[in-house]
Amino acid sequence: MKMKKIKLLTYTGIATLGVAALIALSGANNADSAKQPNVIVIYTDDLGWKELSYSGNTRLKTPNIDQLSAEGTRFTQAYSSAPICSPSRAGLVTGRYQQRFGFEYLTPLEQPIDPNNDPRKVYRKPVEKRVSVNEFDVDPEKFAKIKKGIPESELTFGEIFKNAGYATALIGKWHLGEVEGYFPDQNGFDYFFGCLNWGSLFGYEDDPTIVSSPAYYSDKLPASRTGSYRWVRGREEVIEKRYITDVLTDESIQFIEKNKNKPFFLYLPFTAVHDPLQAKKSDFDQITSVNDTNTRIQLAMTKSLDDNIGKLNDYLKKNGLDKNTLIFFSSDNGGPTYYRTVDNTPLKGGKLSHFEGGIRVPFFIKYPNVIPAGKVYDLPVSNLDIFATAVAAAGLKVPDGRQIDGVNLIPFVNGKNTARPHETLFWRNGYSKAARKGDWKLYVNDRNGVKYLYDLAKDPSETTDLSKVNTDKFKELEAELKNWESNLLDPKWPARRSTLLEVGKDLFFFPI
């Protein structure tokens, strides 16, 4: 398989460093093992920061995720680099603001969909106040010719670890391109099982062991695992009838079992808990805290995710792999409040907005004897940091001249570095933008014609606009945002439409 040219020409000097180098890179005090760590990146889908019981979900217990998080360090102010699926993932796998390489909007469906079975026809209509607005002048023929995904110039964490001799796998949701040159096996992953676009069915509606919400999908579910909605192994379509969250975990364990005697890198982006709302009936029946069917399904999906995280963690411990495995856990964006099943309170907004509810996510790291167990870290961090932290912990090196926006978090959580990991963080999806500097946050929506300034230390719910009160800080963040934007590329492909999103009593546009 042809690798990206820049990887072969410029990726030199990757060193498999010993313990001394790892300690120097990470600020760690551990010298128990000279082995490079195994790395697992668990990336959930649409899991809001408050959807776990350790972070305040009173409707559901998530004991397995809670336990895993307690074995590591939890981050209370962790952010995704975008409030929507694929741009967030582009930032994650590269450790760079995705706008640096023009990945600003969703990668659209590329494979043909049977128009009679397209689940988008009635998607979410009965339950949400959300309207798609086709306001962009996009030429369909020109748009179709644009290759959309991770460009050849970028280096993914899959490629870094593969080039360093790791066995690499991606098991779950890709959503970073589904045409030649953009497949997972062309981005550093030896093994791939999953879906290439935004997701697919968890189970078939005609399966009596599955509970589905008709409000969140068409009534022709069995036919809609085709085209961009299909499941594939490598590039071959797979007909899988089991509940998909279980399948992804089993595939992950099989990959680890096969490669447990050498270093492995597993990227495990679950499709849970993104819709379609479908749960195993056995899980649904155990949800008694609420009566609403959609909410019960959502909670049951989260329960299944928790059960599977527990199964994976138990496997690692039983096989003695947990002590030398670095585990990251996060989500691609904030909880989607338009489902009417997710509660981001007291944060404002949700998925598709740059308010806190749309970009703040659950996040923790476990790495025994290197990352402190039972610690809570309160300063802002980003999903961009996963790349940098994993590379440093493994003693690897990024090619010279490549700007990485994430930072290695290990010395920060170990107390070796008491500064803020990020003095400033930025977000942009077209006309919707934000910047956070210290505890001050600027929100901009050019389509709505608004600019707000918030003091998150005193107002984490973003209720009071201080742009006209603290004009100096407002101008300072405006200048910071403008300067950051001056170093970005124009989007490689345009947004296809805007979404009108309900946030409290207001409506905000967001381009996708």
Side-chain angles (χ1 to χ4, degrees), residues 193 204 225 230-234 236-240 251:
F193 174 89
Y204 291 116
R225 269 187 176 174
R230 70 198 187 282
W231 291 97
V232 298
R233 179 174 285 108
E236 298 298 321
E237 184 172 352
V238 175
I239 305 301
E240 180 55 70
E251 288 274 339

Side-chain angles (χ1 to χ4, degrees), residues 366-403:
K366 176 189 173 183
Y367 189 13
N369 300 314
V370 177
I371 294 285
K375 182 171 183 175
V376 176
Y377 189 84
D378 293 321
L379 293 175
V381 298
S382 170
N383 69 334
L384 302 175
D385 301 330
I386 292 175
F387 180 106
T389 305
V391 169
L396 305 181
K397 182 182 177 183
V398 176
D400 294 339
R402 177 169 293 273
Q403 181 172 355

Side-chain angles (χ1 to χ4, degrees), residues 229-508:
Y229 300 108
R230 70 198 187 282
W231 291 97
V232 298
R233 179 174 285 108
R235 301 195 190 180
E236 298 298 321
E237 184 172 352
V238 175
I239 305 301
E240 180 55 70
K241 294 187 177 181
R242 292 180 297 152
Y243 191 72
I244 207 66
T245 306
D246 297 337
V247 174
L248 298 181
T249 303
D250 290 345
E251 288 274 339
S252 297
I253 290 174
Q254 290 169 22
F255 166 76
I256 296 172
E257 180 67 23
K258 182 179 179 181
N259 296 281
K260 65 183 180 182
N261 294 321
K262 58 182 177 181
F264 62 80
F265 179 91
L266 169 62
Y267 174 34
L268 176 53
F270 282 100
T271 55
V273 290
H274 196 296
D275 65 325
L277 293 188
Q278 291 184 296
K280 291 185 290 188
K281 188 175 186 302
S282 57
D283 290 331
F284 178 84
D285 289 343
Q286 293 183 54
I287 304 299
T288 59
S289 58
V290 295
N291 294 321
D292 177 70
T293 297
N294 288 339
T295 303
R296 285 183 68 187
I297 295 174
Q298 183 87 58
L299 293 173
M301 293 170 70
T302 306
K303 178 188 179 301
S304 176
L305 175 67
D306 182 73
D307 290 343
N308 278 279
I309 296 297
K311 182 177 181 180
L312 177 61
N313 197 30
D314 287 346
Y315 167 82
L316 293 172
K317 290 181 175 180
K318 288 177 182 178
N319 287 271
L321 295 168
D322 61 307
K323 295 179 177 58
N324 193 44
T325 298
L326 168 62
I327 300 176
F328 299 90
F329 179 98
S330 191
S331 177
D332 61 346
N333 47 249
T337 51
Y338 52 77
Y339 283 15
R340 302 292 193 262
T341 62
V342 174
D343 179 18
N344 291 327
T345 308
L347 301 185
K348 182 176 182 176
K351 178 181 178 179
L352 301 187
S353 81
H354 286 114
F355 295 111
E356 290 292 287
I359 52 178
R360 196 179 295 194
V361 293
F363 184 31
F364 59 81
I365 308 175
K366 176 189 173 183
Y367 189 13
N369 300 314
V370 177
I371 294 285
K375 182 171 183 175
V376 176
Y377 189 84
D378 293 321
L379 293 175
V381 298
S382 170
N383 69 334
L384 302 175
D385 301 330
I386 292 175
F387 180 106
T389 305
V391 169
L396 305 181
K397 182 182 177 183
V398 176
D400 294 339
R402 177 169 293 273
Q403 181 172 355
I404 300 299
D405 295 301
V407 301
N408 172 20
L409 293 174
I410 296 176
F412 293 95
V413 299
N414 280 338
K416 302 294 182 180
N417 190 333
T418 58
R420 301 174 77 97
H422 300 273
E423 183 58 30
T424 310
L425 289 168
F426 300 100
W427 296 267
R428 187 182 80 180
N429 293 78
Y431 53 71
S432 182
K433 313 169 189 178
R436 174 172 177 168
K437 183 174 185 179
D439 289 323
W440 291 92
K441 180 178 173 184
L442 173 70
Y443 171 82
V444 177
N445 192 309
D446 292 330
R447 176 68 176 78
N448 278 77
V450 297
K451 294 182 180 181
Y452 302 138
L453 179 70
Y454 300 110
D455 180 355
L456 295 179
K458 298 177 181 178
D459 182 23
S461 301
E462 298 172 291
T463 60
T464 305
D465 172 28
L466 299 175
S467 61
K468 294 180 175 58
V469 176
N470 196 328
T471 55
D472 289 343
K473 183 62 67 173
F474 177 68
K475 291 177 182 178
E476 178 185 345
L477 264 70
E478 270 196 316
E480 292 263 13
L481 179 60
K482 184 176 181 180
N483 181 62
W484 175 71
E485 288 188 281
S486 69
N487 295 304
L488 306 179
L489 295 183
D490 291 335
K492 293 292 187 180
W493 58 91
R496 295 298 302 273
R497 63 186 184 278
S498 287
T499 291
L500 191 58
L501 185 70
E502 187 178 14
V503 180
K505 296 180 180 179
D506 299 314
L507 294 173
F508 291 89

Side-chain angles (χ1 to χ4, degrees), residues 95-266:
R96 288 157 50 84
Y97 283 115
Q98 58 273 10
Q99 298 90 346
R100 291 195 186 282
F101 46 92
F103 200 130
E104 200 151 336
Y105 303 112
L106 286 182
T107 54
L109 303 172
E110 297 287 356
Q111 302 298 327
I113 300 295
D114 180 350
N116 295 318
N117 292 326
D118 187 346
R120 293 170 294 172
K121 289 193 301 181
V122 295
Y123 189 45
R124 301 186 182 127
K125 183 174 59 176
V127 294
E128 67 162 305
K129 186 175 182 180
R130 187 182 128 185
V131 180
S132 289
V133 182
N134 293 315
E135 62 179 358
F136 296 108
D137 184 17
V138 178
D139 185 312
E141 292 187 7
K142 290 182 179 179
F143 188 82
K145 293 178 181 178
I146 302 172
K147 282 198 170 184
K148 296 167 278 289
I150 292 287
E152 187 176 349
S153 61
E154 292 307 303
L155 183 70
T156 72
F157 51 29
E159 287 167 301
I160 281 197
F161 281 88
K162 179 181 174 69
N163 288 343
Y166 275 66
T168 60
L170 191 167
I171 297 173
K173 173 175 173 174
W174 176 232
H175 210 184
L176 294 173
E178 53 178 308
V179 295
E180 183 60 36
Y182 294 78
F183 288 108
D185 63 346
Q186 296 170 313
N187 279 276
F189 296 101
D190 298 317
Y191 181 74
F192 170 61
F193 174 89
C195 56
L196 291 164
N197 209 271
W198 65 262
S200 187
L201 301 179
F202 290 87
Y204 291 116
E205 192 180 44
D206 57 3
D207 183 342
T209 69
I210 300 295
V211 180
S212 300
S213 170
Y216 277 77
Y217 234 85
S218 76
D219 58 357
K220 298 180 179 179
L221 285 164
S224 57
R225 269 187 176 174
T226 59
S228 287
Y229 300 108
R230 70 198 187 282
W231 291 97
V232 298
R233 179 174 285 108
R235 301 195 190 180
E236 298 298 321
E237 184 172 352
V238 175
I239 305 301
E240 180 55 70
K241 294 187 177 181
R242 292 180 297 152
Y243 191 72
I244 207 66
T245 306
D246 297 337
V247 174
L248 298 181
T249 303
D250 290 345
E251 288 274 339
S252 297
I253 290 174
Q254 290 169 22
F255 166 76
I256 296 172
E257 180 67 23
K258 182 179 179 181
N259 296 281
K260 65 183 180 182
N261 294 321
K262 58 182 177 181
F264 62 80
F265 179 91
L266 169 62

